Amino acid sequence: MLEFYDFIIFVFFAPYISKLFFPQELDPFWQMLNTYGAFAAGYLARPLGGVIMAHFGDKHGRKNMFMLSIVLMVIPTFALGVMPTFETIGYLAPILFLCIRIMQGISIDGELRGAWVFMGEHSIKESLFTSTDILTAAVAGSIVSLIIHKNYETSIIAQWAWRIPFIIGGIFGIISIYLRKFLSQTPVFGNTKKEMRYKKCL
C-alpha cells in the first residue's frame, strides 16, 4: 500500500510540480505535459522492475525483493519531498525528477508482482486479498491530498505544503523497511525449495 501511495501521490499535486520543476517561461500546457510525461516514464519503466524482481523473487524468495523494492521507492520519494526546484538548480531539477519517476516505476512493478504472489500464497481467497493493496493506496492518497487542500491555501501549497505527502511517504517507508525484517517466506516457496533440494539429491 505504501509503495503504491508513493507512486501515485504526485498525481494529486501535479499542477504545483509542473510549475516548480520546469522553466517558468514554458507555456502551462507544456509544463503539465512534461510533468505527465515524467509520470508516464515511470509506467514505461515498470516492466523492467517486474521482470527482474519477479525472477529473483522466484529464485531467492519474496522477502529480499521486498526489501530492495521498498528502498528503491523510499529514497526517491523522500528526495522529491526535499529536492530543490527549477528556480534553485535549473535544468537539473527536471532531470532528477525524471530519474525519480523511473526509479519509482522500477520499484512499484517489482513490488506489486511480489506482493500479489506473497499475499496469494499466504491466503485462501487470493482474489480478495490481492485486490486490497492498490485500493487502500488510492484511498490513502486521496485522503492525504484532501487534508492538505483543506488546511492550506493554494499559495502555501505551492510554496512548501505540497512536499508534506512525499515526506510522509518517505517516513512511513522507513518504518516499512523495519517491519519487513520480520517477514517470513511463504509456505509455497518453502515447499518448492524443499522439492528442488530433494530432486537435486536424487
Side-chain angles (χ1 to χ4, degrees), residues 44-133:
L44 292 175
R46 285 181 60 173
L48 179 62
V51 169
I52 295 175
M53 293 191 192
H55 169 73
F56 287 103
D58 290 340
K59 193 171 182 179
H60 302 290
R62 318 295 173 203
K63 182 177 179 178
N64 294 334
M65 292 304 101
F66 276 158
M67 295 298 290
L68 175 61
S69 67
I70 193 67
V71 169
L72 287 178
M73 182 62 76
V74 168
I75 291 175
T77 300
F78 193 82
L80 184 58
V82 299
M83 192 175 77
T85 60
F86 186 90
E87 186 179 358
T88 304
I89 59 175
Y91 283 96
L92 186 59
I95 293 172
L96 290 175
F97 177 58
L98 179 61
C99 292
I100 283 172
R101 291 306 301 172
I102 291 174
M103 285 182 65
Q104 288 182 326
I106 292 173
S107 170
I108 193 64
D109 214 59
E111 171 79 9
L112 286 176
R113 301 293 179 258
W116 290 335
V117 173
F118 188 85
M119 288 188 290
E121 290 180 351
H122 267 299
S123 64
I124 299 173
K125 298 180 179 180
E126 298 180 9
S127 60
L128 173 62
F129 282 91
T130 56
S131 65
T132 56
D133 51 356

Side-chain angles (χ1 to χ4, degrees), residues 167-186:
I167 295 174
I168 290 174
I171 292 172
F172 278 102
I174 294 171
I175 296 172
S176 180
I177 292 174
Y178 172 74
L179 292 176
R180 289 185 181 199
K181 291 182 178 180
F182 302 100
L183 284 178
S184 59
Q185 300 290 2
T186 66

